[in-house]
Amino acid sequence: MSEENTFESISRLYQEFMELPFPPRLGGADRAGFDLVMLDSDTAGCVFIWLKNGGELQERDRSILLRCIARLERVIPALSEADDPEYWQRLRKVAQLVADSPHVASK
């Protein structure tokens, strides 16, 4: 896939994700030792920055993104069906695509 197609694909997936409501029963919830609201916000924020910057992240933001992905990998198996695991899997997918993208560049 070309870099342009990757960027467009991630942009589309991010927009689709952002249209999903945050699982209402999880406000203030903690899973696997992580606050889910903060994990959601931090992860989506990194993807937003990557998109805003045309497919680049500064080293600090890249570190945050990678930490969020690692946390999602711990949180997702700890979720029950009532925790809307599909929401978290979609968030992890778009974050991983950004992390794996050739556009990710340290500044």
Side-chain angles (χ1 to χ4, degrees):
M1 183 180 300
S2 76
E3 290 181 7
E4 184 174 318
N5 288 342
T6 299
F7 185 87
E8 290 172 4
S9 177
I10 293 170
S11 179
R12 180 182 48 78
L13 289 171
Y14 176 76
Q15 289 302 325
E16 290 171 1
F17 174 78
M18 292 304 294
E19 292 174 7
L20 299 173
F22 182 83
R25 70 185 265 345
L26 297 181
D30 179 286
R31 298 292 184 273
F34 301 105
D35 179 292
L36 296 181
V37 171
M38 290 303 298
L39 181 57
D40 176 68
S41 178
D42 290 346
T43 307
C46 289
V47 175
F48 173 80
I49 290 168
W50 183 85
L51 290 166
K52 182 180 169 207
N53 292 338
E56 294 184 9
L57 285 177
Q58 292 185 3
E59 188 59 38
R60 176 182 174 277
D61 295 323
R62 178 169 169 70
S63 293
I64 293 169
L65 178 66
L66 294 175
R67 185 171 51 246
C68 289
I69 292 168
R71 289 176 179 177
L72 285 165
E73 289 172 354
R74 291 180 54 197
V75 164
I76 290 171
L79 298 172
S80 70
E81 281 303 311
D83 294 332
D84 197 358
E86 183 178 315
Y87 177 91
W88 300 97
Q89 291 164 350
R90 290 179 76 159
L91 178 60
R92 189 203 174 284
K93 178 181 179 179
V94 73
Q96 190 65 58
L97 288 169
V98 169
D100 292 344
S101 171
H103 286 289
V104 176
S106 301
K107 286 187 176 178

